[in-house]
Amino acid sequence: MLLASAVVVWEWLNEHGRWRPYSPAVSHHIEAVVRAGPRAGGSVVLGQVDSRLAPYIIDLQSMNQFRQDTGTLRPVRRNYYDPSSAPGKGVVWEWENDNGSWTPYDMEVGITIQHAYEKQHPWIDLTSIGFSYVIDFSTMGQINRQTQRQRRVRRRLDLIYPMVTGTLPKAQSWPVSPGSATSPPAPPCSCPQCVLVMSVKAAVVHGSSGPLQPPATRKNMPPSGVVKLPPPPGPGAKALDSAGTLRGPVKTAPSQVTRRQTSSKPAGATVGSPASPPGANGKTTGRVALATLNRTNLQRLAIAQSRVLIASGVPTVPVKNLNGSSPVNPALAGITGILMSAAGLPVCLTRPPKLVLHPPPVSKSEIKSIPGVSNTSRKTTKKQAKKGKTPEEVLKKYLQKVRHPPDEDCTICMERLTAPSGYKGPQPTVKPDLVGKLSRCGHIYHIYCLVAMYNNGNKDGSLQCPTCKTIYGVKTGTQPPGKMEYHLIPHSLPGHPDCKTIRIIYSIPPGIQGPEHPNPGKSFSARGFPRHCYLPDSEKGRKVLKLLLVAWDRRLIFAIGTSSTTGESDTVIWNEVHHKTEFGSNLTGHGYPDANYLDNVLAELAAQGISEDSTAQEKD
């Protein structure tokens, strides 16, 4: 237990095992419900504060996020951070993803970046916290230490996350304090959705299977059921201060302003469990009562829920049908799950979509070669850099000397081009004041800096402009030895019903790192091999395959580095060219249907210097 002030950040666990922060506005909304205690119902409708999160609700009793259209559950947590850190100042660090939108860093990564920024460091290496990236504050860029690929980053100001003072438990349960269990019930939210939820809860508590009335019409009805509250954080836990001491601005939905009384139940009433068997008084429990609701009433609830969602400005989402039998109409399963969760009951009516990684079994006779593509497999071995040419001789092919440099910065060393290079590493053999212009893109640098950059790279005879990423020569990578197989299988991918499927199988064994790798002489692991990937057997799909073969030969598909999924270092990782590894679903974003995938991967290959012209070069 810690007696202190802290910033509260609500986070959810993604499929890669990383905790992702909700936005400050959403965290304020969740925190407001938490502080209201059991009287608020124990469920948070995220669409009330952010329309993009309309499918999601949070059940505070189980600490899970529930997606109503798929039934997917993800754990959530209430985490605490130093008030002087980034979330306490409203600072959010984000990186630009492939479609041009901005994604916030994990909270701990953002805090690390902000700390270095405040210390006025020129850059911060994230390797120590498990990421193979360097953040360069002078260019506001993220640099992949293995591939040298750069992405833009930005620092923006948002709401300050909610702040609390008092005795802070390391793991927060709900309700927030023991006092919440005996505090007088306050009027619930009067928005249409919450009125409906309260009416459902009342029906569950009273064991009614007849028409449900609004809470206001049942003010004086004696309670016939009981609801069990979760235990307090611990016998020695102290409550937070009376209001939870909210220091940051709170953004709540307009519907939360108006409150009204819905229950005459006295404070400190005895409570029990809705899922427990009938007690000595013989009264039925809430779960049994909900099971007795007939289909007509469930359908009426679903229709009413849709109407109040629209009336309250929360967008509705489609409900997917279930496979198999269910005690209720499958079309009502998603909405029933929401109502059950709001009533504090386990949600068990919906099933999440099934992950389909691989196609049905295929016999050897059904596997065919791909027309227009020679062979069915390809191996790579270690290719050492070409010898005989010094870095200065290599760069001479791509540079033009500039006798009168402009009065601007060299974006490598950040010194003026009219002054000597500011590079302080191993000394190249060229003079530090020489300036050169790259022949195709026209960007100007100290030649001294370009030689140093080349020496720190793969030294394969190619050069990539650090500003515009134009590639000079043939770029190669550091992919370890392995095998790439490719063939046709007689099954179709979702979204491509009119063609068969190209299956690619990558096999790379573990081994010892070479001189071109991060830690020469040290062993590296190779997790998840063989890796199966899929392309549609269409004209564009075959084009992508041919370019992937070029990328494989140039050792650009994989690299050795730190896994962004597991945090393991010295392991084989993907190298900036995305592959589809789900055959019959798209739950992780690595499957089909995906209308833009083939165009996106062509753009990624082009960024590595691989285009249709590359296939002709390989033949030559």
Side-chain angles (χ1 to χ4, degrees):
M1 306 292 287
L2 303 172
L3 185 60
S5 296
V7 177
V8 176
V9 178
W10 282 84
E11 300 169 323
W12 57 278
L13 188 67
N14 69 9
E15 65 272 15
H16 302 304
R18 301 203 63 83
W19 289 98
R20 304 288 297 137
Y22 290 103
S23 70
V26 173
S27 287
H28 276 294
H29 180 58
I30 302 171
E31 195 67 11
V33 176
V34 169
R35 288 168 180 166
R39 61 188 185 230
S43 296
V44 186
V45 182
L46 300 186
Q48 289 181 337
V49 69
D50 187 340
S51 61
R52 296 171 299 178
L53 302 182
Y56 300 97
I57 61 174
I58 290 178
D59 176 30
L60 293 173
Q61 293 187 357
S62 64
M63 291 296 278
N64 278 307
Q65 170 190 278
F66 172 65
R67 178 165 179 154
Q68 67 183 37
D69 56 339
T70 65
T72 303
L73 289 173
R74 295 190 186 279
V76 300
R77 72 179 183 183
R78 185 178 189 239
N79 213 2
Y80 301 101
Y81 295 94
D82 192 314
S84 64
S85 63
K89 297 178 179 179
V91 174
V92 179
W93 283 89
E94 299 173 319
W95 55 275
E96 186 179 33
N97 57 35
D98 292 336
N99 60 16
S101 59
W102 293 90
T103 302
Y105 285 97
D106 297 352
M107 191 54 66
E108 291 183 357
V109 178
I111 289 173
T112 301
I113 297 173
Q114 175 63 17
H115 180 72
Y117 180 85
E118 291 175 348
K119 295 289 186 182
Q120 297 185 340
H121 295 322
W123 51 269
I124 174 70
D125 189 340
L126 302 180
T127 305
S128 60
I129 56 174
F131 296 93
S132 184
Y133 297 103
V134 172
I135 306 299
D136 186 341
F137 296 120
S138 61
T139 61
M140 290 300 282
Q142 170 190 281
I143 305 168
N144 186 313
R145 298 180 73 244
Q146 305 300 324
T147 66
Q148 299 302 307
R149 180 177 178 180
Q150 293 192 25
R151 295 180 185 271
R152 290 195 299 164
V153 300
R154 72 178 183 182
R155 175 184 182 269
R156 66 175 180 86
L157 295 179
D158 204 324
L159 289 174
I160 297 174
Y161 277 90
M163 205 170 279
V164 294
T165 60
T167 306
L168 307 175
K170 290 183 179 180
Q172 184 66 58
S173 58
W174 184 87
V176 174
S177 66
S180 300
T182 57
S183 58
C189 174
S190 62
C191 74
Q193 183 167 0
C194 290
V195 169
L196 178 65
V197 169
M198 290 302 296
S199 69
V200 174
K201 294 181 71 173
V204 172
V205 169
H206 294 293
S208 168
S209 60
L212 296 175
Q213 305 170 6
T217 64
R218 299 197 308 274
K219 279 179 71 172
N220 299 319
M221 293 179 65
S224 61
V226 290
V227 179
K228 183 178 180 181
L229 300 177
K238 297 180 181 179
L240 300 174
D241 59 16
S242 59
T245 311
L246 182 64
R247 301 255 177 102
V250 181
K251 181 178 180 182
T252 58
S255 58
Q256 289 181 304
V257 176
T258 306
R259 304 270 183 177
R260 66 177 180 178
Q261 183 73 28
T262 61
S263 174
S264 58
K265 187 172 180 178
T270 306
V271 293
S273 171
S276 60
N281 57 10
K283 295 179 181 179
T284 59
T285 65
R287 189 168 188 176
V288 174
L290 185 62
T292 62
L293 291 178
N294 58 35
R295 179 172 294 187
T296 302
N297 282 333
L298 285 172
Q299 187 172 10
R300 188 183 66 79
L301 284 174
I303 294 172
Q305 173 74 353
S306 297
R307 288 174 178 170
V308 299
L309 284 173
I310 295 172
S312 61
V314 179
T316 57
V317 295
V319 178
K320 295 183 178 179
N321 287 340
L322 296 177
N323 296 321
S325 61
S326 172
V328 298
N329 190 312
L332 305 179
I335 201 66
T336 306
I338 296 177
L339 299 174
M340 290 179 66
S341 178
L345 298 174
V347 177
C348 57
L349 293 179
T350 60
R351 300 174 187 170
K354 187 177 180 181
L355 182 69
V356 182
L357 288 177
H358 303 294
V362 179
S363 65
K364 287 185 177 180
S365 61
E366 293 178 304
I367 295 175
K368 305 295 182 183
S369 60
I370 304 168
V373 180
S374 60
N375 303 319
T376 57
S377 65
R378 195 166 296 189
K379 292 183 179 181
T380 58
T381 57
K382 292 183 179 180
K383 294 181 180 179
Q384 302 298 329
K386 296 178 181 179
K387 297 181 179 179
K389 288 189 177 181
T390 66
E392 293 80 0
E393 290 173 327
V394 171
L395 297 183
K396 188 176 180 181
K397 298 186 298 182
Y398 312 132
L399 287 173
Q400 300 170 358
K401 286 188 178 181
V402 177
R403 298 186 181 279
H404 304 288
D407 188 21
E408 58 187 44
D409 287 342
C410 168
T411 56
I412 299 177
C413 69
M414 301 311 296
E415 295 290 343
R416 306 300 283 181
L417 290 168
T418 52
S421 168
Y423 177 70
K424 303 299 182 183
Q427 303 298 310
T429 58
V430 298
K431 295 180 180 179
D433 57 349
L434 291 180
V435 175
K437 180 173 72 172
L438 291 172
S439 57
R440 286 164 52 199
C441 64
H443 288 109
I444 302 175
Y445 306 95
H446 290 115
I447 298 178
Y448 195 85
C449 294
L450 287 173
V451 171
M453 186 180 76
Y454 181 85
N455 283 330
N456 288 329
N458 201 26
K459 291 181 280 193
D460 58 358
S462 71
L463 180 71
Q464 188 167 16
C465 174
T467 299
C468 66
K469 308 307 176 191
T470 298
I471 296 174
Y472 295 82
V474 176
K475 179 181 178 180
T476 62
T478 61
Q479 175 181 291
K483 183 179 181 182
M484 176 183 180
E485 300 174 77
Y486 41 95
H487 48 248
L488 284 181
I489 57 175
H491 300 290
S492 297
L493 293 165
H496 299 275
D498 300 327
C499 61
K500 297 179 181 179
T501 297
I502 298 171
R503 179 168 62 183
I504 303 171
I505 303 176
Y506 293 112
S507 301
I508 294 180
I512 303 298
Q513 298 181 51
E516 73 273 31
H517 294 135
N519 296 297
K522 186 177 179 180
S523 62
F524 67 87
S525 60
R527 311 292 184 193
F529 288 96
R531 298 186 186 183
H532 291 228
C533 309
Y534 305 95
L535 292 169
D537 184 32
S538 60
E539 181 181 354
K540 188 175 286 188
R542 293 184 188 181
K543 176 181 176 180
V544 169
L545 173 64
K546 291 176 182 178
L547 297 184
L548 287 176
L549 289 170
V550 176
W552 174 262
D553 290 339
R554 295 183 183 179
R555 304 173 69 198
L556 292 168
I557 300 291
F558 296 98
I560 295 176
T562 301
S563 169
S564 60
T565 303
T566 64
E568 181 183 10
S569 59
D570 298 304
T571 190
V572 179
I573 59 175
W574 292 106
N575 185 35
E576 306 291 347
V577 178
H578 287 84
H579 285 64
K580 293 295 188 181
T581 54
E582 281 183 72
F583 175 81
S585 58
N586 195 18
L587 298 187
T588 65
H590 302 305
Y592 294 91
D594 185 341
N596 299 319
Y597 168 66
L598 295 178
D599 290 328
N600 290 341
V601 76
L602 286 172
E604 291 172 345
L605 288 164
Q608 301 285 350
I610 299 174
S611 62
E612 288 186 90
D613 295 338
S614 303
T615 56
Q617 291 176 9
E618 293 297 310
K619 290 179 182 178
D620 295 341

